[in-house]
Amino acid sequence: MIKYEDIVKRISTIEKKKIKNEERIKTLSEENNILTANLKLLNQKKEMFEKMDQDLADLIPDKKKTVTN
């Protein structure tokens, strides 16, 4: 037969696990938001560098092209 105390203990254990899981979800969500923001920043910087590289390539002729011309 199931005792009332066993049921109360089980409920208490489940509630503690729930609280821990909620805290873990919150922490992981915050980390995810930070990583997402960092990734967006890095992608913006990458695009900026690619554009700068292209602009420099347009301004400075390639050495190979000038040798063959």
Side-chain angles (χ1 to χ4, degrees):
M1 191 164 133
I2 298 175
K3 294 181 186 178
Y4 177 79
E5 292 83 15
D6 293 340
I7 294 172
V8 171
K9 283 180 185 179
R10 181 73 175 138
I11 290 172
S12 175
T13 303
I14 291 171
E15 287 175 346
K16 286 177 185 177
K17 285 182 181 181
K18 179 184 172 195
I19 291 169
K20 283 184 181 180
N21 285 339
E22 287 172 344
E23 290 171 355
R24 188 167 178 229
I25 288 170
K26 182 180 176 186
T27 302
L28 291 173
S29 292
E30 290 171 356
E31 288 178 17
N32 187 41
N33 290 339
I34 291 169
L35 290 173
T36 300
N38 287 341
L39 181 60
K40 285 180 184 178
L41 251 172
L42 288 173
N43 281 330
Q44 289 173 350
K45 287 181 180 183
K46 178 185 170 199
E47 290 172 4
M48 182 183 70
F49 282 125
E50 287 173 348
K51 179 156 179 21
M52 288 173 54
D53 189 46
Q54 184 59 46
D55 290 346
L56 283 173
D58 292 344
L59 292 172
I60 302 171
D62 192 8
K63 290 180 183 177
K64 293 177 185 174
K65 290 181 183 176
T66 56
V67 171
T68 56
N69 289 340

